[in-house]
Amino acid sequence: MDSSLTEIYLDSIKNYGELIKIADKIACYGKAPLLKFSTDSTEFNLIVYKECISKMDIVDYHGSNVISIQKDSIIINNEIEVSFDSLQPILRNHILNPERKFDFSKSIDKALIFYYQDSSVSSKKIKDQLIKITTDFNELNRKNGDSLPLKIKLSEYSYIKILNPPLPDEE
């Protein structure tokens, strides 16, 4: 196994809060978390991105290059919120952006998924969602030459919608 990776067995943790704590320790040691989980027929190894919270790195992601998944919703470019069940077409638009829509990533390499759940959400629910994300991604990847990157960042905080300021009154 790559020495820059540290394995986390999803079935061995209780909830999202524990996952974030473990992933943070791994990130603070300069390594990347490798989530391992399986179904009856498939084993999954998912490298996720996690920043070390104590280093306070400041990273500014361009809004259209990011979709956020939290609870059972997908948030796109701060304005569009859809059900998690709509993941497959959203993933296709976000990663490939074949129609060059403003709300989705500008390039395959910049497409990023922020993933967040409340700290008490069970590892079973996380596993179910990650299985859907990876399965939908793998199907998209197979159709496009098996060369697409899947980039998921584990987030400590829920998505905060930024409201546009009101327009000044015309007099």
Side-chain angles (χ1 to χ4, degrees), residues 102-134:
F102 174 78
D103 289 320
F104 295 103
S105 70
K106 303 302 174 232
S107 78
I108 290 170
D109 294 326
K110 293 181 179 181
L112 179 65
I113 299 170
F114 280 13
Y115 184 83
Y116 170 81
Q117 293 297 327
D118 291 331
S119 63
S120 61
V121 169
S122 73
S123 62
K124 181 184 178 344
K125 177 163 182 162
I126 297 164
K127 179 179 171 179
D128 290 345
Q129 285 189 328
L130 291 178
I131 287 170
K132 178 162 179 47
I133 292 168
T134 53

